[in-house]
Each structure stands twice: as structure tokens, then as C-alpha cells.
Amino acid sequence: MQSRCEEFLGQAAECLTLADHYGDFIKQQYQQLAGQWLFLAEQRMALEECRERMSAWQDLRDVETHHCEWPSPSPRLAIVQA
């Protein structure tokens, strides 16, 4: 399955291909549209990277909270505190 970023890059490439077939004004329109698709691809790529980082951070938090237990206080500590 294609990611949204790859889909946006494909749209940009298609716009640039179409731009080559037309004259000045329409060519500029397709080039501008390709630029907008590229902008969307960049934004989506940044979002996907952010989600990956957040997921990794959440996994680390889950490991710290669920798999690591604090040791119970030693009997010596109870004597010192008393």
C-alpha cells in the first residue's frame, strides 16, 4: 500500500509531466500545482516522522512503566528512618 506522501509525490510528478505538454499559462498552472503537491508531501513526511518518534517514545514509556518495578525498601532503611 502506498503512503500518503508517496501518493502526493506521484501527483506532483504527474502534474510536471502534463506541464511539458502545454504552453506558457497552462504549463505554469501545472507547475504551481506540482509545487503544492510537493508541499503536501513534505508536510505529510514530517507528520509521519513525528508519529514514528511519538510511537517510539510511547513504547519506551510503556517499558519503563510496566516492565520495571521499583525495589521494595530494605529493612535497614526502616530502622534508620525510625
Side-chain angles (χ1 to χ4, degrees):
M1 188 172 151
Q2 194 176 38
S3 75
R4 297 290 290 184
C5 181
E6 291 169 341
E7 182 182 331
F8 294 156
L9 290 172
Q11 292 290 341
E14 185 177 342
C15 287
L16 291 174
T17 300
L18 288 169
D20 290 338
H21 297 290
Y22 291 97
D24 297 330
F25 180 72
I26 294 175
K27 182 176 187 165
Q28 286 178 338
Q29 294 294 309
Y30 274 115
Q31 288 172 337
Q32 289 175 355
L33 186 56
Q36 292 173 3
W37 281 114
L38 289 173
F39 176 79
L40 289 173
E42 290 173 358
Q43 295 300 308
R44 187 62 188 204
M45 191 181 311
L47 176 64
E48 289 171 3
E49 288 175 5
C50 182
R51 284 182 178 164
E52 287 174 12
R53 289 182 185 153
M54 290 298 291
S55 177
W57 180 79
Q58 184 63 42
D59 290 345
L60 178 61
R61 244 183 74 197
D62 288 346
V63 166
E64 289 176 350
T65 1
H66 299 292
H67 299 293
C68 299
E69 297 178 11
W70 290 99
S72 57
S74 69
R76 290 184 195 162
L77 183 60
I79 295 171
V80 172
Q81 288 179 343

